[in-house]
Amino acid sequence: MTSKRISLLVALALIATLFGPAISVGVAAPQTTDAELAISQPHYVDGEIQTSSANGTSVYQAGAVPLSIVPQNFAADNVVDYGIETDGGNAELTYDEAMDRFVSTADADGTYAVYWSVEREVAVENESGNGSRIETRRERYTSKIRLSGLTDMVHQPAGDLEATREQADKWSEWNATVNDARETIGNGLLVQIGLASPPTTQETLQGMVNAYLTFKAPLHMLTGNYTQILTLITFTFGGWLFVATVILPLIVVIAGLAYRSNRFEITEAEEGRLSKRAGEMAKREDQQSLANDTHNDVWDDDYIASAMRAEGDDPLTATTNWLAKFRPRYQFHARLQAMAADGWVGVVDRRVRSDGGEESGDGDNGASTDTETASIVDAHVAREDAVDEDADTVSLNVTPDDDLLDALDWSQVEIWEEFDLLAAEIDPAEVRTTPVDVYDLEELVELTDLDMRQFEDESHAAQNMIELFQFIRENPLTDEHGTPDTLRYGLEHHLRAARLLDERFHMPIDGYIDQFEKALAEYDAGADAKRTLDEIREGGHA
């Protein structure tokens, strides 16, 4: 029995020696590394983040929170644990998935230690040299953030600042009203003849309060004895006579006035509702035309509406500016697609980079034999049947961001004069559909002319840009795919130009404005297309 057990142990040892190193998995002990961080503080703080080092650990000096933290020497995807350590005060470290960054906050000055635990799987050769094993290595990245000046700084958002200004304006108006009332009383006849002294501010305020109470509740001037007055009126002949000759006629008069006042209020309220509905209908009609809209029709906040004017004075101008950024390249790209369908090609000159990073050519004209790695540096268009056999040609049916568009001379005579788009026999099925570019948040913000200091962060600016795009998409100017209608786009600009001439130069062109508004109100692209199709069926365009 003992010999069998020994034999089994020897066999297991041999198996472990042969195959164990090739499939073993281990976990290495964690190591501590200094974290290299890119930190940005709020835009309203002067100065930059200061960096120093203490005992091999980086220390970042900041003056306000929240802090945006982006690791530089490890990836956030590999982080399995993170946090912030503090001896006093409340501090927090969170991860913003949308912006792919960490955010640190604190409520007091001090030095805070932040850490990240990162795990990576690496292949490690065995010490015996026989095979390898997979190790999960954990490293701990640490650094320190020193905050100073938090107690001396108070950041007030734009909305709160505007509310404070409105309250200050109201108090200024109230003080001005009190001073006017005091001067009016002080210039009165009784003061001028010496029978009364000018009132103080406190006396003026009390007089205004008494006048208000008298207007709202005249009985407040009675000091009491209500029971005695009611007894005299109820149980004496003189009281009944007083009621019959004074109170009853007064009640009749007051009831008549109340009835008339009630009818007037009802009529006025009805007129107000009709006026409000008419105004809403007029506003809806105006909003059907983008030329009549302003940024305040998109945002109720005047501060945001003012900040968004960097993209254009109004939504129509913003639309024009954005179309100018994209349309030239897409229009040129569309013409190249049509030329490709009509038998045109691109004749290119390629260059390939050597190991040293310098451009070099191979063969005639410097053309590279490796067309997959070579880049196009020069190109022109030509008919395919007129190109030499040894020429390097490419199809013009490419995407809008292809290098070919950058290499071509957009003013080449053959593109605009020799190629006749109307006379070309082109099958629409052969023309490539232009893809729609999709931008992420950072790319969208980079394309704008917005001043980031007027927004809370990039997400806030991008959200307002999206609201502007949605407002334009909901306008009849664009179809369900967001493509502007060419005729309506022209009418909108004519209307806007006419309004500017009327408002700024007072030119007598009200009739033209009415005609443009009527044309936009009655314009129906779908009906116009149907009418054109009917005319084609009847031979009207033959």
Side-chain angles (χ1 to χ4, degrees):
M1 185 69 177
T2 304
S3 61
K4 291 182 178 181
R5 184 176 300 174
I6 293 173
S7 300
L8 178 61
L9 293 175
V10 171
L12 291 175
L14 290 174
I15 293 173
T17 303
L18 293 174
F19 302 103
I23 59 174
S24 63
V25 177
V27 178
Q31 301 178 357
T32 300
T33 306
D34 182 40
E36 298 178 6
L37 309 175
I39 301 180
S40 59
Q41 56 189 348
H43 63 83
Y44 52 81
V45 179
D46 296 332
E48 302 292 337
I49 298 292
Q50 302 297 324
T51 305
S52 59
S53 179
N55 298 325
T57 301
S58 298
V59 180
Y60 299 89
Q61 179 76 34
V65 292
L67 298 176
S68 175
I69 303 175
V70 178
Q72 301 298 299
N73 57 344
F74 62 90
D77 295 338
N78 297 329
V79 175
V80 296
D81 186 25
Y82 60 88
I84 187 169
E85 299 174 350
T86 176
D87 295 334
N90 296 321
E92 185 179 12
L93 181 65
T94 58
Y95 179 63
D96 184 353
E97 294 184 1
M99 299 297 293
D100 191 21
R101 65 180 182 181
F102 292 89
V103 179
S104 173
T105 59
D107 59 358
D109 293 348
T111 301
Y112 300 90
V114 291
Y115 65 89
W116 291 266
S117 294
V118 180
E119 285 188 354
R120 301 186 183 91
E121 291 185 353
V122 296
V124 181
E125 294 289 339
N126 290 324
E127 297 177 357
S128 61
N130 184 14
S132 62
R133 65 182 184 276
I134 302 299
E135 280 193 2
T136 299
R137 292 186 175 179
R138 174 174 291 192
E139 294 186 54
R140 181 182 174 93
Y141 291 83
T142 62
S143 65
K144 292 184 179 181
I145 298 177
R146 182 173 298 156
L147 298 175
S148 61
L150 296 184
T151 56
D152 300 331
M153 180 179 298
V154 177
H155 175 59
Q156 189 172 24
D160 295 346
L161 181 61
E162 186 65 25
T164 303
R165 289 173 176 170
E166 291 179 358
Q167 294 176 2
D169 293 339
K170 290 179 180 179
W171 277 111
S172 299
E173 184 178 356
W174 167 255
N175 291 331
T177 302
V178 173
N179 291 332
D180 291 342
R182 182 181 176 186
E183 291 178 1
T184 301
I185 299 174
N187 295 328
L189 180 61
L190 295 178
V191 176
Q192 292 181 356
I193 63 178
L195 297 178
S197 59
T200 62
T201 301
Q202 185 64 31
E203 292 172 346
T204 303
L205 288 173
Q206 188 60 48
M208 295 172 67
V209 171
N210 293 339
Y212 173 77
L213 293 176
T214 301
F215 175 76
K216 298 296 290 185
L219 294 179
H220 91 283
M221 293 184 297
L222 301 176
T223 58
N225 298 325
Y226 296 112
T227 304
Q228 183 179 355
I229 294 174
L230 291 175
T231 300
L232 291 173
I233 293 176
T234 305
F235 297 102
T236 62
F237 179 76
W240 294 350
L241 183 61
F242 176 76
V243 171
T245 58
V246 178
I247 301 298
L248 287 179
L250 183 60
I251 292 175
V252 172
V253 173
I254 293 175
L257 292 175
Y259 175 73
R260 294 186 182 90
S261 176
N262 187 42
R263 287 189 59 187
F264 175 77
E265 290 178 357
I266 293 175
T267 303
E268 192 176 45
E270 187 65 24
E271 291 177 351
R273 283 194 293 270
L274 293 175
S275 177
K276 183 178 180 180
R277 290 182 59 186
E280 292 176 352
M281 293 179 62
K283 183 177 180 179
R284 284 197 297 269
E285 292 178 357
D286 287 343
Q287 288 182 345
Q288 293 298 310
S289 172
L290 202 61
N292 291 329
D293 294 326
T294 65
H295 287 306
N296 290 97
D297 295 318
V298 187
W299 299 277
D300 295 331
D301 190 340
D302 291 338
Y303 183 82
I304 295 298
S306 176
M308 294 301 295
R309 288 190 178 92
E311 292 301 302
D313 293 337
D314 49 59
L316 179 60
T317 306
T319 303
T320 304
N321 293 339
W322 276 88
L323 288 176
K325 291 181 180 179
F326 298 103
R327 275 201 163 181
R329 188 176 185 90
Y330 285 147
Q331 288 176 349
F332 185 67
H333 168 257
R335 191 169 184 87
L336 291 181
Q337 292 182 35
M339 296 179 70
D342 193 41
W344 291 75
V345 295
V347 181
V348 302
D349 180 17
R350 301 178 187 269
R351 291 291 186 274
V352 63
R353 290 185 175 276
S354 62
D355 295 340
E358 297 180 356
E359 294 182 350
S360 63
D362 184 15
D364 296 340
N365 244 348
S368 173
T369 58
D370 188 358
T371 59
E372 295 184 356
T373 59
S375 59
I376 300 174
V377 296
D378 190 19
H380 65 276
V381 299
R383 284 201 169 274
E384 188 173 10
D385 54 7
V387 178
D388 296 338
E389 294 182 357
D390 58 347
D392 188 0
T393 61
V394 294
S395 173
L396 298 179
N397 197 1
V398 296
T399 59
D401 58 352
D402 195 90
D403 293 340
L404 177 62
L405 272 72
D406 297 321
L408 284 170
D409 180 7
W410 289 22
S411 62
Q412 185 178 344
V413 175
E414 288 80 355
I415 298 176
W416 304 105
E417 297 183 8
E418 184 174 339
F419 172 65
D420 189 350
L421 179 61
L422 297 178
E425 297 180 359
I426 299 174
D427 182 4
E430 297 181 4
V431 180
R432 180 190 183 98
T433 301
T434 301
V436 178
D437 287 342
V438 178
Y439 299 95
D440 58 23
L441 184 144
E442 293 182 356
E443 292 174 338
L444 177 63
V445 173
E446 289 177 357
L447 289 173
T448 67
D449 298 322
L450 298 176
D451 185 358
M452 290 295 105
R453 294 173 298 179
Q454 298 185 5
F455 299 91
E456 296 176 2
D457 50 29
E458 291 183 347
S459 299
H460 186 209
Q463 180 61 37
N464 285 285
M465 285 300 305
I466 293 173
E467 292 179 9
L468 177 59
F469 292 152
Q470 289 175 341
F471 181 83
I472 297 172
R473 280 290 302 272
E474 294 171 359
N475 190 273
L477 175 66
T478 60
D479 59 16
E480 66 273 13
H481 304 294
T483 302
D485 183 275
T486 305
L487 178 56
R488 190 176 188 93
Y489 183 72
L491 290 174
E492 293 277 8
H493 274 282
H494 282 299
L495 176 58
R496 183 177 185 275
R499 285 196 175 278
L500 287 176
L501 292 174
D502 178 45
E503 295 173 359
R504 297 186 181 180
F505 304 101
H506 307 289
M507 297 183 67
I509 54 175
D510 294 340
Y512 290 99
I513 294 176
D514 294 338
Q515 291 298 323
F516 285 131
E517 289 183 340
K518 182 178 180 181
L520 286 168
E522 297 179 354
Y523 174 69
D524 187 341
D528 186 58
K530 183 177 182 302
R531 184 168 55 254
T532 303
L533 289 174
D534 292 339
E535 292 177 357
I536 292 174
R537 293 190 184 100
E538 296 172 359
H541 288 263

